[in-house]
Amino acid sequence: MSIHPRRKSGKSDGNEPDYVAEWDEITRHLTDLDYALPPRGSGPRDWEATESPEEPFDPSELPSAPRPQHHSVFARAVLTLALILMAVTLLSLFGLLPLTGWLLGVCALAACIASAGAIFLYLPQGREDDDDGIQL
C-alpha cells in the first residue's frame, strides 16, 4: 500500500502521471539550500548606539515648526451637531428616548452626514506635494 494519496497500490494502467517522481524532481535542488540562522542575541534589544556623533547637534538646522491650525466656528458647530445627533440616536436605540422609526432613521442619517462634514472641515488646510498629512 502506498502512502502517497494519489498513487494507487498495485498495477498502474500507464496513463496516470507519477506524482511522486515529479515531486522528487521539483525538490531535488532544495537540498543544497543553506538556512543560516542569525546568531543568538542579535535582536533589537542588542543594538548599541555609536560612541558619539561626528557633528554636534545644532537646533538651528531644524525646519521651522508649522503654526497650529485653528478651526473655524462653523467646523466646531458641525462637530457639535454631529455629536448631539449621535447621542440622540444612541439614546433612542437603547429605548431611553422614544422616536418613531422614520425619525430615528433621519436622525442617524443626519448624524452620519454631519460626521462626514466635520471630518472634512477638520482636514489640514495647507498641503505640500510630498506631504503625507501626518501632524505631530
Side-chain angles (χ1 to χ4, degrees):
M1 179 172 188
S2 175
I3 59 170
H4 195 274
R6 294 195 179 190
R7 179 179 275 183
K8 297 177 184 175
S9 61
K11 295 181 179 179
S12 174
D13 61 358
N15 293 332
E16 296 178 8
D18 188 7
Y19 294 111
V20 175
E22 288 178 21
W23 181 253
D24 289 340
E25 177 63 28
I26 292 171
T27 59
R28 181 174 51 90
H29 302 290
L30 297 179
T31 58
D32 299 336
L33 295 177
D34 183 22
Y35 295 106
L37 296 175
R40 281 295 245 186
S42 64
R45 294 183 181 176
D46 299 318
W47 180 82
E48 294 179 8
T50 58
E51 292 184 18
S52 64
E54 295 177 7
E55 298 177 8
F57 174 70
D58 184 15
S60 65
E61 295 176 359
L62 293 175
S64 61
R67 294 187 339 218
Q69 183 177 356
H70 299 286
H71 301 289
S72 67
V73 174
F74 180 69
R76 290 184 182 142
V78 171
L79 180 62
T80 304
L81 175 67
L83 292 173
I84 290 172
L85 288 170
M86 281 187 239
V88 168
T89 303
L90 287 174
L91 287 173
S92 178
L93 285 175
F94 288 119
L96 301 173
L97 183 66
L99 290 179
T100 60
W102 68 271
L103 189 57
L104 176 63
V106 168
C107 188
L109 182 65
C112 291
I113 292 172
S115 299
I119 290 171
F120 180 74
L121 291 172
Y122 271 84
L123 287 174
Q125 299 299 324
R127 279 187 66 97
E128 296 178 13
D129 291 337
D130 62 345
D131 184 20
D132 59 1
I134 295 175
Q135 294 182 358
L136 300 177

